[in-house]
Structure formats: structure tokens, C-alpha cells
């Protein structure tokens, strides 16, 4: 039953995530001269999708953590939540999504929901309260950084098809954040941030 609930939740998350950089494909006839065959999901809907993911997924879904199930059914909510969060982040932070967002920005200008807006909206939750991170947030932050690193080519350069220098800028900004966080934390949290710094440094220097 627990697995069934998780699968249904994951299905809902997939439906919401599709809105980000989503494109409507409309069937039109030659007589429908005012219709558009291909149009991007409106910016307000994309922004609402990220807000939903921030609230329901990237803020730890504690309703999936049930101590009785952990003790009696060997449920491992940490693995479940990490898998859900990592899966959605991989769909948001990838070349295909960012390319479509760039295309939207080129075509629609200020009406588009841009990658910069998406990253800023994601940071409001994923990179908030860095001095009070728990294991769920640490796993999510690592997945976030790894997905950004995957946007770089083997030489450590930003893929040109993924809007030029965007990954570099995001990684550089995150390094500043986690460096500050490492300085104000200790123990496991401090080690986590130091590890992220190493990952980012190695990616940008192509070690």
C-alpha cells in the first residue's frame, strides 16, 4: 500500500513537472489562420508548478515518514523521498528543459518563464536555512549540484546548447553559498558543504 501511494504521488509530481518548459501542441486546419500549432505553457502556470514542487516535494514530505511502517514493514522513507526529489530535479535541471526555456525566452521575451526565474524559485526552498539542514535536504542539495555539473561537457565547459554559461554561473553562486554555510556549521553538515565545494571545484576545473 505504501509503495502504491508513493507511485501515485510520483505520478502527480510528473504531471506538474511537465508544465515547466512545457509546450502545447495544437492540431489546426488551414482555415484556422488565427490558431497557433505550438505554444509554450504560460509563465504563471510554470511558476505555479515550481511553487507546488517546492511546497509538496522539496519541503520534506513528512507524511511519507511513518515510524510504525519503518519498524514493522521495513519501509525506508529516506530512500523513497530522495528518489522522488532526485527524479524531479533531473527533469528540471537538464539540457532539454533549459534549451526549451531559452527558446521560449527568445520567442516571447519578458512573457516567458526563464531558467533564471526557475533557479531563483528553487533556491527559495532547496538552499534556504543552510545552517539547519537535515539528511533529506542534504541529499537533495547534492542531487541539485550533480545535475548542474552534468550540464558541463567533458572539458568542464557549459554546453552551448544549454544557454551558454548558465551552469557555470549557477555553480559559482552555489559555491559562495555553501562556503558560507560550511563556515557556520559543524559535523555532518559541515562535511556535506565541504564535499559540495569539492564537487563544484573539480567540475569547473575539469579534474
Amino acid at each position: 500500500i505504501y509503495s502504491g501511494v508513493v507511485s501515485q504521488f510520483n505520478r502527480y509530481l510528473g504531471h506538474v513537472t511537465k508544465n515547466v518548459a512545457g509546450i502545447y501542441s495544437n492540431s489546426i486546419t488551414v482555415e484556422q489562420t488565427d490558431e497557433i500549432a505550438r505554444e509554450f505553457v504560460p509563465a504563471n502556470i510554470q511558476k505555479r508548478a515550481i511553487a507546488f514542487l517546492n511546497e509538496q516535494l522539496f519541503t520534506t514530505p513528512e507524511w511519507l515518514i511513518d515510524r510504525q511502517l519503518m519498524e514493522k514493514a521495513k519501509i525506508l522513507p529516506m530512500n523513497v523521498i530522495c528518489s522522488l526529489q532526485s527524479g524531479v530535479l533531473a527533469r528540471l535541471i537538464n539540457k532539454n528543459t533549459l534549451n526549451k526555456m531559452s527558446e521560449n525566452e527568445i520567442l516571447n521575451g519578458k512573457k516567458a518563464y526563464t531558467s533564471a526565474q526557475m533557479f531563483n524559485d528553487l533556491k527559495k526552498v532547496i538552499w534556504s536555512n543552510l545552517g539547519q539542514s537535515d539528511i533529506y535536504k542534504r541529499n537533495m542539495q547534492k542531487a541539485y549540484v550533480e545535475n548542474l555539473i552534468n550540464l558541463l561537457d567533458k572539458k568542464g565547459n557549459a554546453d552551448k546548447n544549454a544557454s551558454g554559461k548558465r551552469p557555470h554561473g549557477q555553480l559559482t553562486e552555489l559555491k559562495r553559498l555553501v562556503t558560507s554555510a560550511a563556515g557556520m556549521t559543524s559535523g555532518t553538515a559541515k562535511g556535506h558543504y565541504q564535499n559540495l565545494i569539492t564537487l563544484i571545484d573539480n567540475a569547473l576545473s575539469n579534474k
Side-chain angles (χ1 to χ4, degrees), residues 17 20-21 50 53 58 85-99 101 115 118-120 122-123 126-127 140-152 162 166-168 170-171 174:
T17 305
V20 182
I50 293 296
L53 295 173
F58 299 141
Q85 292 173 334
S86 298
V88 171
L89 283 174
R91 294 180 65 176
L92 294 174
I93 307 175
N94 66 66
K95 294 174 185 177
N96 183 49
T97 298
L98 298 185
N99 285 342
M101 297 184 98
S115 59
M118 180 186 74
F119 283 126
N120 286 335
L122 290 174
K123 286 175 186 173
I126 298 176
W127 299 98
M140 183 169 53
Q141 289 171 341
K142 185 177 180 183
Y144 187 105
V145 169
E146 289 174 340
N147 279 293
L148 276 177
I149 290 173
N150 287 338
L151 294 173
L152 303 176
R166 184 188 296 111
H168 274 118
Q170 291 297 323
L171 287 168
L174 286 179

Side-chain angles (χ1 to χ4, degrees), residues 41-83:
V41 172
N44 67 313
I45 294 179
Q46 295 192 54
K47 190 173 182 68
R48 283 171 54 199
I50 293 296
F52 177 91
L53 295 173
N54 273 338
E55 180 180 350
Q56 301 296 333
L57 178 65
F58 299 141
T59 299
T60 304
E62 295 186 1
W63 61 274
L64 286 173
I65 306 171
D66 188 304
R67 183 167 295 278
Q68 282 191 322
L69 288 176
M70 293 169 65
E71 294 173 349
K72 297 182 178 180
K74 298 181 180 179
I75 295 297
L76 299 175
M78 184 183 74
N79 293 349
V80 169
I81 293 171
C82 181
S83 177

Side-chain angles (χ1 to χ4, degrees), residues 2-207:
Y2 184 87
S3 296
V5 170
V6 170
S7 295
Q8 187 66 26
F9 182 45
N10 190 41
R11 191 173 297 112
Y12 293 151
L13 295 174
H15 292 325
V16 173
T17 305
K18 275 187 175 181
N19 286 286
V20 182
I23 298 174
Y24 296 134
S25 180
N26 305 314
S27 298
I28 60 175
T29 65
V30 292
E31 291 84 8
Q32 295 173 302
T33 56
D34 294 331
E35 297 296 326
I36 300 175
R38 183 176 180 273
E39 58 182 328
F40 283 89
V41 172
N44 67 313
I45 294 179
Q46 295 192 54
K47 190 173 182 68
R48 283 171 54 199
I50 293 296
F52 177 91
L53 295 173
N54 273 338
E55 180 180 350
Q56 301 296 333
L57 178 65
F58 299 141
T59 299
T60 304
E62 295 186 1
W63 61 274
L64 286 173
I65 306 171
D66 188 304
R67 183 167 295 278
Q68 282 191 322
L69 288 176
M70 293 169 65
E71 294 173 349
K72 297 182 178 180
K74 298 181 180 179
I75 295 297
L76 299 175
M78 184 183 74
N79 293 349
V80 169
I81 293 171
C82 181
S83 177
L84 291 170
Q85 292 173 334
S86 298
V88 171
L89 283 174
R91 294 180 65 176
L92 294 174
I93 307 175
N94 66 66
K95 294 174 185 177
N96 183 49
T97 298
L98 298 185
N99 285 342
K100 289 191 292 183
M101 297 184 98
S102 294
E103 180 189 353
N104 189 10
E105 188 174 2
I106 291 170
L107 292 175
N108 298 304
K110 293 182 179 179
K111 293 182 179 180
Y113 183 66
T114 66
S115 59
Q117 291 173 316
M118 180 186 74
F119 283 126
N120 286 335
D121 287 340
L122 290 174
K123 286 175 186 173
K124 293 175 184 177
V125 171
I126 298 176
W127 299 98
S128 64
N129 300 320
L130 296 185
Q132 302 175 359
S133 67
D134 58 17
I135 190 168
Y136 298 100
K137 178 166 279 191
R138 290 195 294 271
N139 285 337
M140 183 169 53
Q141 289 171 341
K142 185 177 180 183
Y144 187 105
V145 169
E146 289 174 340
N147 279 293
L148 276 177
I149 290 173
N150 287 338
L151 294 173
L152 303 176
D153 64 23
K154 293 181 180 180
K155 295 181 180 179
N157 299 313
D159 189 291
K160 292 181 180 179
N161 293 323
S163 296
K165 297 181 179 180
R166 184 188 296 111
H168 274 118
Q170 291 297 323
L171 287 168
T172 300
E173 182 179 344
L174 286 179
K175 181 182 176 182
R176 288 196 295 268
L177 284 175
V178 298
T179 298
S180 175
M184 64 181 181
T185 53
S186 59
T188 301
K190 186 180 187 70
H192 161 69
Y193 292 125
Q194 289 175 333
N195 179 56
L196 292 185
I197 293 169
T198 300
L199 286 175
I200 293 171
D201 283 342
N202 288 345
L204 294 179
S205 63
N206 191 33
K207 290 183 179 178

